[in-house]
Protein backbone atom coordinates (compact mmCIF):
# COMPACT_ATOMS: atom_id res chain seq x y z
CA UNK A 1 0.00 0.00 0.00
CA UNK A 2 2.88 2.38 0.65
CA UNK A 3 4.05 1.81 -2.93
CA UNK A 4 0.51 2.49 -4.16
CA UNK A 5 0.40 5.77 -2.24
CA UNK A 6 3.74 6.90 -3.67
CA UNK A 7 2.63 5.99 -7.21
CA UNK A 8 -0.66 7.86 -6.82
CA UNK A 9 0.97 11.02 -5.50
CA UNK A 10 3.70 10.86 -8.19
CA UNK A 11 1.17 10.37 -10.98
CA UNK A 12 -0.88 13.31 -9.81
CA UNK A 13 2.23 15.46 -9.64
CA UNK A 14 3.07 14.59 -13.24
CA UNK A 15 -0.32 15.93 -14.39
CA UNK A 16 0.66 19.32 -13.02
CA UNK A 17 3.63 19.56 -15.35
CA UNK A 18 2.18 17.96 -18.44
CA UNK A 19 -0.12 20.84 -19.32
CA UNK A 20 1.91 24.00 -19.81
CA UNK A 21 5.31 25.50 -19.13
CA UNK A 22 3.80 28.78 -17.91
CA UNK A 23 2.57 28.06 -14.41
CA UNK A 24 0.89 30.24 -11.84
CA UNK A 25 1.71 29.32 -8.26
CA UNK A 26 0.43 30.44 -4.87
CA UNK A 27 1.33 29.00 -1.49
CA UNK A 28 0.81 29.29 2.25
CA UNK A 29 3.71 28.11 4.43
CA UNK A 30 2.60 27.68 8.03
CA UNK A 31 4.82 27.17 11.09
CA UNK A 32 4.28 27.05 14.85
CA UNK A 33 6.65 26.29 17.73
CA UNK A 34 5.91 25.94 21.46
CA UNK A 35 8.53 25.24 24.12
CA UNK A 36 8.12 25.34 27.92
CA UNK A 37 10.44 24.60 30.84
CA UNK A 38 10.31 24.63 34.63
CA UNK A 39 7.58 22.63 36.36
CA UNK A 40 6.48 21.39 32.92
CA UNK A 41 8.88 20.68 30.07
CA UNK A 42 7.38 20.28 26.63
CA UNK A 43 8.09 21.20 23.04
CA UNK A 44 5.98 20.94 19.90
CA UNK A 45 6.40 21.84 16.24
CA UNK A 46 3.64 22.18 13.64
CA UNK A 47 4.30 22.87 9.95
CA UNK A 48 2.10 22.93 6.86
CA UNK A 49 2.66 23.76 3.20
CA UNK A 50 -0.40 24.38 1.00
CA UNK A 51 0.49 25.00 -2.65
CA UNK A 52 -1.97 25.79 -5.46
CA UNK A 53 -1.18 25.71 -9.17
CA UNK A 54 -3.39 27.21 -11.89
CA UNK A 55 -2.80 25.95 -15.42
CA UNK A 56 -4.75 26.34 -18.66
CA UNK A 57 -6.65 23.08 -18.25
CA UNK A 58 -5.66 21.91 -14.74
CA UNK A 59 -6.06 23.24 -11.22
CA UNK A 60 -3.79 21.46 -8.71
CA UNK A 61 -3.35 21.54 -4.94
CA UNK A 62 -0.50 20.02 -2.94
CA UNK A 63 -0.56 19.76 0.87
CA UNK A 64 2.18 18.65 3.24
CA UNK A 65 1.67 18.64 7.02
CA UNK A 66 3.78 17.63 9.99
CA UNK A 67 3.32 17.61 13.76
CA UNK A 68 5.86 16.64 16.42
CA UNK A 69 5.54 16.91 20.20
CA UNK A 70 7.82 15.88 23.05
CA UNK A 71 6.94 15.93 26.77
CA UNK A 72 8.83 15.24 29.97
CA UNK A 73 7.05 12.44 31.83
CA UNK A 74 7.59 10.54 35.09
CA UNK A 75 8.95 7.03 34.62
CA UNK A 76 8.96 4.60 37.58
CA UNK A 77 11.31 1.60 37.56
CA UNK A 78 12.22 -0.49 40.65
CA UNK A 79 10.34 2.02 42.85
CA UNK A 80 12.54 4.84 41.54
CA UNK A 81 10.84 7.67 39.65
CA UNK A 82 12.79 9.70 37.13
CA UNK A 83 11.86 12.23 34.48
CA UNK A 84 12.29 11.25 30.86
CA UNK A 85 11.59 13.03 27.58
CA UNK A 86 9.23 11.05 25.37
CA UNK A 87 7.66 11.68 21.98
CA UNK A 88 3.91 12.08 22.51
CA UNK A 89 2.83 13.11 18.99
CA UNK A 90 4.31 12.45 15.57
CA UNK A 91 2.21 12.83 12.47
CA UNK A 92 2.88 13.34 8.74
CA UNK A 93 0.34 13.90 5.98
CA UNK A 94 0.59 14.47 2.22
CA UNK A 95 -2.11 14.92 -0.43
CA UNK A 96 -2.47 15.96 -4.06
CA UNK A 97 -5.66 16.91 -5.90
CA UNK A 98 -5.67 17.57 -9.64
CA UNK A 99 -8.84 19.11 -11.15
CA UNK A 100 -9.41 18.95 -14.90
CA UNK A 101 -11.39 22.09 -15.82
CA UNK A 102 -14.68 21.61 -17.59
CA UNK A 103 -15.36 25.33 -18.00
CA UNK A 104 -13.90 28.76 -17.26
CA UNK A 105 -15.45 28.81 -13.80
CA UNK A 106 -14.93 25.99 -11.28
CA UNK A 107 -16.59 22.91 -12.70
CA UNK A 108 -14.12 20.07 -13.00
CA UNK A 109 -13.26 16.40 -12.72
CA UNK A 110 -10.79 15.63 -9.93
CA UNK A 111 -8.28 12.95 -9.03
CA UNK A 112 -7.17 12.83 -5.40
CA UNK A 113 -4.55 10.89 -3.46
CA UNK A 114 -3.46 11.10 0.19
CA UNK A 115 -1.16 9.31 2.62
CA UNK A 116 -0.97 9.71 6.41
CA UNK A 117 1.45 8.33 9.00
CA UNK A 118 0.28 9.02 12.56
CA UNK A 119 2.42 7.22 15.12
CA UNK A 120 -0.15 7.41 17.93
CA UNK A 121 -3.38 6.74 16.03
CA UNK A 122 -3.18 2.95 16.17
CA UNK A 123 -2.69 2.88 12.38
CA UNK A 124 0.69 2.34 10.73
CA UNK A 125 -0.67 4.30 7.77
CA UNK A 126 -3.92 5.47 6.17
CA UNK A 127 -4.56 6.70 2.65
CA UNK A 128 -7.20 7.43 0.04
CA UNK A 129 -7.45 7.44 -3.74
CA UNK A 130 -10.57 9.02 -5.24
CA UNK A 131 -11.96 10.70 -8.33
CA UNK A 132 -15.15 12.61 -9.06
CA UNK A 133 -16.73 16.02 -9.64
CA UNK A 134 -15.71 19.41 -8.21
CA UNK A 135 -17.41 22.80 -8.36
CA UNK A 136 -18.06 26.09 -6.55
CA UNK A 137 -21.45 26.16 -4.86
CA UNK A 138 -21.56 29.95 -4.52
CA UNK A 139 -19.46 33.10 -4.43
CA UNK A 140 -20.21 36.59 -3.12
CA UNK A 141 -18.08 39.67 -2.51
CA UNK A 142 -17.15 38.32 0.92
CA UNK A 143 -17.54 34.55 0.81
CA UNK A 144 -17.26 31.42 -1.29
CA UNK A 145 -17.82 27.67 -0.94
CA UNK A 146 -16.04 25.04 -3.04
CA UNK A 147 -16.72 21.32 -2.89
CA UNK A 148 -15.83 17.99 -4.47
CA UNK A 149 -17.48 14.57 -4.29
CA UNK A 150 -16.77 11.17 -5.78
CA UNK A 151 -16.05 7.46 -5.20
CA UNK A 152 -12.71 6.09 -4.10
CA UNK A 153 -10.72 3.47 -2.23
CA UNK A 154 -9.35 3.85 1.30
CA UNK A 155 -6.39 1.74 2.39
CA UNK A 156 -4.84 1.31 5.82
CA UNK A 157 -2.80 -0.92 8.09
CA UNK A 158 -3.06 -1.16 11.86
CA UNK A 159 0.09 -1.06 13.97
CA UNK A 160 1.88 -4.21 15.02
CA UNK A 161 1.08 -5.24 18.60
CA UNK A 162 3.29 -6.96 21.19
CA UNK A 163 1.90 -9.10 24.00
CA UNK A 164 4.04 -11.41 26.16
CA UNK A 165 6.92 -10.89 23.72
CA UNK A 166 4.73 -12.16 20.87
CA UNK A 167 4.48 -9.77 17.90
CA UNK A 168 1.22 -9.70 15.95
CA UNK A 169 1.44 -7.98 12.60
CA UNK A 170 -1.01 -5.21 11.81
CA UNK A 171 -3.96 -5.87 9.52
CA UNK A 172 -4.01 -4.37 6.03
CA UNK A 173 -7.37 -3.26 4.72
CA UNK A 174 -8.97 -1.76 1.60
CA UNK A 175 -12.55 -0.61 1.28
CA UNK A 176 -14.73 1.45 -1.03
CA UNK A 177 -15.54 4.99 0.12
CA UNK A 178 -17.34 8.10 -1.03
CA UNK A 179 -15.09 11.12 -0.61
CA UNK A 180 -16.59 14.53 0.12
CA UNK A 181 -14.69 17.74 0.75
CA UNK A 182 -15.71 21.36 1.14
CA UNK A 183 -13.83 24.62 1.75
CA UNK A 184 -15.61 27.78 2.95
CA UNK A 185 -14.06 31.25 3.17
CA UNK A 186 -15.53 34.44 4.63
CA UNK A 187 -13.68 37.77 4.44
CA UNK A 188 -14.23 39.57 7.74
CA UNK A 189 -12.23 42.57 6.54
CA UNK A 190 -9.36 43.39 4.20
CA UNK A 191 -6.95 41.93 6.76
CA UNK A 192 -8.90 39.09 8.36
CA UNK A 193 -10.70 35.97 7.18
CA UNK A 194 -12.56 32.97 8.56
CA UNK A 195 -12.13 29.56 6.93
CA UNK A 196 -13.81 26.21 7.46
CA UNK A 197 -12.68 23.05 5.71
CA UNK A 198 -14.18 19.57 5.88
CA UNK A 199 -13.18 16.32 4.22
CA UNK A 200 -14.69 12.90 4.80
CA UNK A 201 -14.02 9.45 3.37
CA UNK A 202 -17.27 7.66 4.13
CA UNK A 203 -17.10 3.87 3.92
CA UNK A 204 -19.69 2.10 1.80
CA UNK A 205 -19.68 -0.65 4.46
CA UNK A 206 -20.82 0.36 7.95
CA UNK A 207 -18.43 -2.22 9.37
CA UNK A 208 -15.40 -0.43 7.88
CA UNK A 209 -13.68 2.76 8.98
CA UNK A 210 -14.84 6.21 7.87
CA UNK A 211 -12.37 9.06 8.32
CA UNK A 212 -13.24 12.75 8.73
CA UNK A 213 -11.09 15.85 9.15
CA UNK A 214 -12.34 19.38 9.90
CA UNK A 215 -10.45 22.63 10.48
CA UNK A 216 -11.89 25.91 11.75
CA UNK A 217 -9.51 28.86 11.47
CA UNK A 218 -9.25 32.63 11.87
CA UNK A 219 -6.41 34.37 10.03
CA UNK A 220 -5.29 37.99 10.51
CA UNK A 221 -2.68 39.72 8.33
CA UNK A 222 0.24 41.40 10.09
CA UNK A 223 1.93 42.48 6.82
CA UNK A 224 1.54 41.96 3.09
CA UNK A 225 3.18 38.53 3.31
CA UNK A 226 2.76 37.36 6.92
CA UNK A 227 -0.30 36.50 8.97
CA UNK A 228 -1.22 34.93 12.30
CA UNK A 229 -3.58 31.96 12.22
CA UNK A 230 -5.57 30.45 15.10
CA UNK A 231 -7.02 27.05 14.24
CA UNK A 232 -8.91 24.14 15.75
CA UNK A 233 -8.64 20.77 13.97
CA UNK A 234 -10.53 17.52 14.54
CA UNK A 235 -9.53 14.13 13.09
CA UNK A 236 -12.12 11.37 13.57
CA UNK A 237 -12.10 7.64 12.77
CA UNK A 238 -15.25 5.57 13.27
CA UNK A 239 -13.20 2.38 13.79
CA UNK A 240 -9.99 2.42 15.82
CA UNK A 241 -7.80 -0.24 17.49
CA UNK A 242 -8.47 -1.04 21.14
CA UNK A 243 -7.52 1.60 23.72
CA UNK A 244 -7.42 4.31 21.03
CA UNK A 245 -9.80 7.27 20.94
CA UNK A 246 -12.00 7.96 17.94
CA UNK A 247 -11.19 11.70 17.77
CA UNK A 248 -7.98 13.70 17.99
CA UNK A 249 -8.17 17.48 18.39
CA UNK A 250 -5.52 20.11 17.86
CA UNK A 251 -5.54 23.80 18.80
CA UNK A 252 -2.74 25.89 17.31
CA UNK A 253 -1.53 29.42 16.71
CA UNK A 254 0.84 29.60 13.75
CA UNK A 255 2.68 32.10 11.59
CA UNK A 256 1.72 31.96 7.91
CA UNK A 257 3.84 33.17 5.03
CA UNK A 258 1.95 33.63 1.75
CA UNK A 259 3.32 34.05 -1.76
Amino acid sequence: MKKLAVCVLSALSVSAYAEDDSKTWSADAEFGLISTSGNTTTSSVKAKLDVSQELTQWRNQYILEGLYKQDEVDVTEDSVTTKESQTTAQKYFASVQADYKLDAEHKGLFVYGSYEDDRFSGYAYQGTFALGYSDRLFKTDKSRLNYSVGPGIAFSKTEDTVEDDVVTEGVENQNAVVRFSAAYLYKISENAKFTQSLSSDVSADSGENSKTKAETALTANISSAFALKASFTVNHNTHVPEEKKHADTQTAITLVFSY
Side-chain angles (χ1 to χ4, degrees):
M1 286 302 118
K2 289 185 178 181
K3 292 182 179 179
L4 173 61
V6 172
C7 290
V8 168
L9 295 179
S10 299
L12 291 175
S13 297
V14 168
S15 73
Y17 293 93
E19 178 66 23
D20 193 355
D21 289 335
S22 59
K23 307 175 185 68
T24 301
W25 298 86
S26 63
D28 288 336
E30 187 177 332
F31 183 79
L33 173 65
I34 298 175
S35 180
T36 64
S37 62
N39 293 320
T40 301
T41 301
T42 181
S43 60
S44 61
V45 178
K46 173 183 170 65
K48 180 178 180 180
L49 181 63
D50 187 342
V51 180
S52 298
Q53 184 185 34
E54 197 78 24
L55 304 178
T56 304
Q57 202 62 53
W58 290 91
R59 181 181 299 109
N60 306 301
Q61 183 180 34
Y62 312 83
I63 296 177
L64 294 173
E65 289 185 73
L67 172 68
Y68 178 82
K69 184 179 179 183
Q70 190 175 73
D71 290 312
E72 191 174 78
V73 299
D74 292 331
V75 178
T76 302
E77 186 174 348
D78 297 329
S79 301
V80 177
T81 301
T82 59
K83 290 187 177 296
E84 180 180 300
S85 293
Q86 292 186 359
T87 301
T88 55
Q90 184 174 308
K91 179 178 180 179
Y92 306 102
F93 174 85
S95 71
V96 179
Q97 178 163 325
D99 291 72
Y100 180 79
K101 301 176 184 178
L102 295 177
D103 62 12
E105 297 299 325
H106 287 270
K107 291 183 175 66
L109 300 176
F110 79 87
V111 181
Y112 173 87
S114 70
Y115 183 82
E116 179 179 272
D117 182 344
D118 187 347
R119 178 176 168 185
F120 295 92
S121 67
Y123 286 94
Y125 60 81
Q126 290 179 283
T128 302
F129 174 75
L131 49 84
Y133 177 77
S134 59
D135 200 357
R136 173 167 288 175
L137 188 62
F138 66 80
K139 179 182 179 181
T140 68
D141 291 338
K142 289 190 174 183
S143 64
R144 65 172 183 261
L145 176 61
N146 297 339
Y147 73 92
S148 60
V149 60
I153 297 175
F155 54 91
S156 64
K157 181 182 179 181
T158 57
E159 290 181 333
D160 298 344
T161 57
V162 180
E163 185 174 351
D164 298 329
D165 295 327
V166 177
V167 178
T168 302
E169 288 192 4
V171 178
E172 291 188 352
N173 187 52
Q174 296 183 39
N175 62 286
V177 297
V178 175
R179 175 170 175 80
F180 171 79
S181 66
Y184 173 74
L185 179 145
Y186 179 79
K187 293 182 180 179
I188 300 173
S189 68
E190 290 297 323
N191 296 309
K193 64 180 180 180
F194 169 84
T195 56
Q196 176 68 60
S197 64
L198 173 69
S199 62
S200 187
D201 301 327
V202 181
S203 174
D205 184 348
S206 60
E208 300 290 348
N209 184 52
S210 294
K211 182 176 176 61
T212 301
K213 179 179 180 179
E215 181 191 76
T216 304
L218 183 64
T219 305
N221 296 336
I222 55 178
S223 71
S224 59
F226 290 94
L228 283 176
K229 178 180 176 182
S231 62
F232 179 74
T233 306
V234 179
N235 285 279
H236 184 273
N237 288 281
T238 58
H239 291 67
V240 295
E242 290 185 9
E243 299 181 358
K244 295 295 182 180
K245 296 182 178 179
H246 291 275
D248 287 327
T249 63
Q250 180 188 129
T251 303
I253 297 179
T254 51
L255 181 67
V256 182
F257 173 67
S258 300
Y259 63 95

